[in-house]
């Protein structure tokens, strides 16, 4: 199938570009800390794999926010088999991004509410985790603080992406 040129769209707003890049950069400090702690420190192989895997998943997912303001968010890169060069289905992208952003906002709000009201006293334990690890130092919260904005940033960038989507005739 031949590549189809998407309809022209206005450029993203400057604030949307900044917000899109803030998403992966905000997730990065906590991801790096998780990998550093996950490797060694007496963790089992399963625990280490979980922490490294979680970091390896969150950073690329957060980077997808940049696609909402980039060319590869409107047209699939040519090197991709089957879909390369075709327009990205904007409505599907918006559904997925809005759902993910809303879930991230809910998780963040639950974390804040749990911190204030103490719904759950002990953090989650991994399957087959035999011992409880000491609570990390208080400064580690500052590494997670930028990641708390991730969902809000995705929803804001989605709004700009929707504004720029061509309207059907």
């Amino acid at each position: 199938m031949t590549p189809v040129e998407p309809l022209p769209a206005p450029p993203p707003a400057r604030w949307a570009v900044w917000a899109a890049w803030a998403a992966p950069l905000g997730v990065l400090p906590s991801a790096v800390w998780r990998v550093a702690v996950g490797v060694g420190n007496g963790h089992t192989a399963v625990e280490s794999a979980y922490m490294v895997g979680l970091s390896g998943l969150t950073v690329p997912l957060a980077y997808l926010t940049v696609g909402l303001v980039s060319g590869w968010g409107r047209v699939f890169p040519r090197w991709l088999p089957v879909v390369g060069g075709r327009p990205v289905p904007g409505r599907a992208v918006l559904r997925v991004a809005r759902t993910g952003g809303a879930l991230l906002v809910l998780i963040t709000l639950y974390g804040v509410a749990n911190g204030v009201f103490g719904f759950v006293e002990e953090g989650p334990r991994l399957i087959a985790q035999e011992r409880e690890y000491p609570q990390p130092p208080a400064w580690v919260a500052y590494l997670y603080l930028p990641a708390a904005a991730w969902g809000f940033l995705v929803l804001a960038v989605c709004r700009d992406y929707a504004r720029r989507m061509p309207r059907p005739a």
Side-chain angles (χ1 to χ4, degrees):
M1 191 147 227
T2 59
V4 178
E5 192 65 34
L7 295 173
R14 183 174 290 175
W15 66 263
V17 174
W18 281 94
W21 279 101
L25 293 175
V27 171
L28 198 57
S30 58
V32 170
W33 179 82
R34 226 178 357 256
V35 168
V37 169
V39 178
N41 289 335
H43 292 286
T44 65
V46 172
E47 293 166 348
S48 294
Y50 168 75
M51 288 191 269
V52 171
L54 183 61
S55 294
L57 183 67
T58 56
V59 173
L61 282 175
Y63 183 69
L64 286 177
T65 311
V66 176
L68 296 172
V69 296
S70 300
W72 54 272
R74 301 205 62 235
V75 178
F76 287 110
R78 294 202 182 278
W79 55 266
L80 286 173
V82 182
V83 295
R86 291 187 182 174
V88 172
R91 294 195 191 285
V93 167
L94 278 173
R95 273 191 214 108
V96 171
R98 285 175 174 160
T99 301
L103 286 172
L104 288 167
V105 166
L106 289 174
I107 290 168
T108 301
L109 294 177
Y110 171 76
V112 171
N114 187 44
V116 172
F117 299 111
F119 302 130
V120 179
E121 292 183 21
E122 181 182 324
R125 288 193 186 209
L126 297 173
I127 297 172
Q129 183 176 343
E130 297 171 3
R131 66 183 178 100
E132 187 175 342
Y133 292 95
Q135 188 165 348
W139 61 265
V140 172
Y142 291 110
L143 299 177
Y144 281 87
L145 196 57
W150 181 14
F152 298 100
L153 292 169
V154 169
L155 292 176
V157 176
C158 279
R159 186 170 178 90
D160 183 68
Y161 185 83
R163 175 190 64 84
R164 295 181 299 111
M165 272 183 49
R167 303 283 185 247

